[in-house]
């Protein structure tokens, strides 16, 4: 069965600093991979997704993620964070064949300090 | 499109009462998902539908929970009777069906408090 691990429950970063959120997955083949963001009191919004091809994926709000097959990782990065990036971030893996079900990680809460 | 619509946004009820949560998916989407989010358990998939048919309800916690999708534009999640441990944020999401890996679009959620 597919699974996702986000090892960092909470990360604090200074505004303007770089950010990397970790995500490791378990799946029998190259999966579909997603990063979602949840701002306080809101639903989840897609940041970016990877299906195939270029392993560096660009998303909205200046985020990018890199798929590394050898490490089973799909880490999210941003070169310079803004106070508005404070939110909860979820990594998810989708089934390559058939259904649209996603398996979500437990999330990483990002706090931005001035 | 207005996105996924959920109602009510907030619900406060007393233990033992019936609660009905409603969802209108994005028009044209084939899949509909119900999730529950709590601090302790994170985001849990409760049930999902494809073309109005329930596909997997293994996440439904117990018989007190039921979900229906009478047509392509409406779904309900019902809890009867409700208990304080059901307090959570319930999300509905929808997606297209193109063979896997489509983006799920989430509604704003319903915050349920059971006293």
């Amino acid at each position: 069965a597919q699974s996702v691990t986000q090892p960092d429950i909470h990360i604090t970063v200074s505004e303007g600093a770089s950010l990397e959120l970790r995500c490791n997955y378990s799946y029998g083949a190259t999966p579909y991979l997603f990063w979602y963001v949840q701002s306080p009191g809101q639903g989840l919004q897609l940041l970016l997704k990877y299906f195939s091809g270029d392993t560096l994926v660009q998303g909205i709000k200046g985020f990018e993620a890199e798929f590394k097959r050898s490490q089973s990782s799909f880490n999210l990065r941003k070169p310079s964070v803004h106070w508005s990036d404070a939110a909860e971030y979820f990594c998810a893996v989708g089934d390559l064949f058939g259904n649209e079900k996603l398996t979500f990680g437990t999330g990483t809460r990002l706090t931005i300090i001035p | 499109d207005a996105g996924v619509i959920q109602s009510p946004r907030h619900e406060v009820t007393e233990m033992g009462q019936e609660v009905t949560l409603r969802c209108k998916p994005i028009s044209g989407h084939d899949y509909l998902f119900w999730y529950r989010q709590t601090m302790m358990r994170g985001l849990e998939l409760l049930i999902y539908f494809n073309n109005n048919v329930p596909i997997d309800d293994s996440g439904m916690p117990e018989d007190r929970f039921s979900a229906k999708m009478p047509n392509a534009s409406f779904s309900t999640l019902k809890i009867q009777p409700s208990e304080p441990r059901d307090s959570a944020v319930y999300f509905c999401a929808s997606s297209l069906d193109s063979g896997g890996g489509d983006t799920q679009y989430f509604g704003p959620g319903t915050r349920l408090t059971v006293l």
Side-chain angles (χ1 to χ4, degrees):
Chain A
Q2 59 205 47
S3 66
V4 176
T5 302
Q6 293 181 250
D8 304 306
I9 296 174
H10 184 204
I11 284 183
T12 300
V13 177
S14 298
E15 190 169 14
S18 63
L19 171 70
E20 182 168 25
L21 303 181
R22 296 184 290 167
C23 172
N24 293 97
Y25 68 90
S26 174
Y27 190 73
T30 300
Y32 296 118
L33 294 163
F34 303 77
W35 274 101
Y36 281 82
V37 60
Q38 183 182 25
S39 297
Q42 298 186 23
L44 280 69
Q45 179 187 19
L46 180 73
L47 282 176
L48 49 79
K49 59 184 177 182
Y50 171 80
F51 286 175
S52 64
D54 192 346
T55 57
L56 186 62
V57 181
Q58 302 297 321
I60 62 172
K61 305 184 181 186
F63 285 92
E64 66 179 25
E66 185 171 12
F67 169 64
K68 292 185 177 181
R69 184 193 308 272
S70 61
Q71 300 176 19
S72 297
S73 68
F74 189 56
N75 294 348
L76 182 71
R77 301 195 296 247
K78 187 170 184 178
S80 177
V81 298
H82 185 261
W83 63 267
S84 60
D85 293 325
E88 185 105 21
Y89 291 81
F90 294 90
C91 182
V93 59
D95 197 347
L96 189 61
F97 303 105
N99 70 65
E100 301 287 341
K101 181 179 174 179
L102 296 181
T103 300
F104 284 87
T106 51
T108 298
R109 184 160 63 93
L110 176 64
T111 298
I112 308 295
I113 56 177
Chain B
D1 199 310
V4 176
I5 299 172
Q6 292 186 247
S7 65
R9 291 294 310 276
H10 301 273
E11 177 81 33
V12 180
T13 190
E14 294 187 345
M15 183 175 61
Q17 296 298 305
E18 177 180 294
V19 175
T20 300
L21 311 182
R22 297 172 175 81
C23 175
K24 176 179 168 55
I26 292 173
S27 177
H29 280 191
D30 308 285
Y31 278 87
L32 185 138
F33 305 82
W34 281 101
Y35 291 90
R36 178 172 67 176
Q37 187 178 40
T38 61
M39 290 291 292
M40 292 297 296
R41 302 174 69 93
L43 192 64
E44 302 173 275
L45 176 65
L46 300 177
I47 185 172
Y48 72 97
F49 296 83
N50 182 21
N51 293 323
N52 314 335
V53 176
I55 303 300
D56 184 352
D57 65 354
S58 60
M60 297 286 262
E62 48 197 276
D63 293 344
R64 298 185 297 106
F65 286 69
S66 62
K68 294 182 179 179
M69 192 165 185
N71 57 62
S73 59
F74 184 66
S75 177
T76 59
L77 178 67
K78 186 175 294 186
I79 308 172
Q80 167 63 20
S82 58
E83 296 182 3
R85 60 192 168 124
D86 301 330
S87 298
V89 180
Y90 292 81
F91 289 103
C92 175
S94 69
S95 71
L96 291 168
D97 180 6
S98 59
D102 278 287
T103 301
Q104 289 187 19
Y105 294 85
F106 282 74
T110 295
R111 181 173 295 277
L112 173 64
T113 302
V114 183
L115 304 175

